[in-house]
Amino acid sequence: MKKLIFYITVIFFSASLFTSCTTDEGDNPDRLTSRGLTMTDEWSNVTDAVLRRYADITFKLNYYIKTGQYNHGVYETFMQSVDENIWEVYQYGEEGIAYKINTNGQALDSVGSIWELTSFTDYYNNLGLRQDDGTVNCIITCIDTNSWNIYSINNDLPEYFFDVNISYKSTPSTIYVYPYTFAGKGNLCLNDNNYYYEARKSDYSDNRHPGPDYYYTNNGIVDLSFESESDLQRTSEYWSKGIVNITVHNTEDETSSTRAEFLRKSTEYVVKITYGGVTEEWHHNYYYYY
């Protein structure tokens, strides 16, 4: 039940991953870099959302093709082949096809293979990737042994895209419960119709918190851009290494940027936030989430 609640919170409400900080004395939401931390939380959430909604189903299908069994944890999912290359995926009791996947007759873990995915079920925040015809398209390419490029672009609004590489120790049966290395860039759209920003809306009017109130605008839409400065590493719990630069831009032409460096110190996960010329460390222990 805890995992289900956590999943729903991330996808639909974008709740802060650091609401239970175990930081040094004086750590609180009014710290100078708290806005940069919120931006980092949003980036982590939307990255996870794109991987879960689109890329993950290809690895589950690859596992099904190889073993004839559904990945453990896949519920109410049905996969069927239309021909030797095309697969249809139905899930969660929804009417109609959830995904159509073209394997191009190749194994997903064969270097050079290209799988093409079309999603038909993005009813919630589409992160800018949904095209005018209502679909989200994603290409998964095996670029090296146990390494894949995951690419999606909105052909109607090409400023929205997601282009990252992920690497594992072996081919995963699902992408988000195994440790992996992550690098890449993207520009995604956030909409507060689907993200619960009000829970974190607070008074940033004082001079200690420079930058726009980016996550609560008049029409609720901001663009979130990111690019990894050095490869990031994720454990089954959280980011443990690497650097990412994140920028948000709202419709009022206000921009706010932060640099997040992820560290592992003993049993704690630490993110070093640089925002507004100030650098602070935020500590967190995730053991109770899993």
Side-chain angles (χ1 to χ4, degrees), residues 6-18:
F6 178 68
Y7 172 79
I8 293 174
T9 301
V10 167
I11 299 303
F12 299 109
F13 299 115
S14 192
S16 173
L17 297 182
F18 288 85

Side-chain angles (χ1 to χ4, degrees), residues 151-164:
Y151 179 75
S152 180
I153 192 169
N154 185 333
N155 290 318
D156 299 307
L157 295 171
E159 61 267 32
Y160 295 118
F161 70 97
F162 186 81
D163 186 2
V164 305

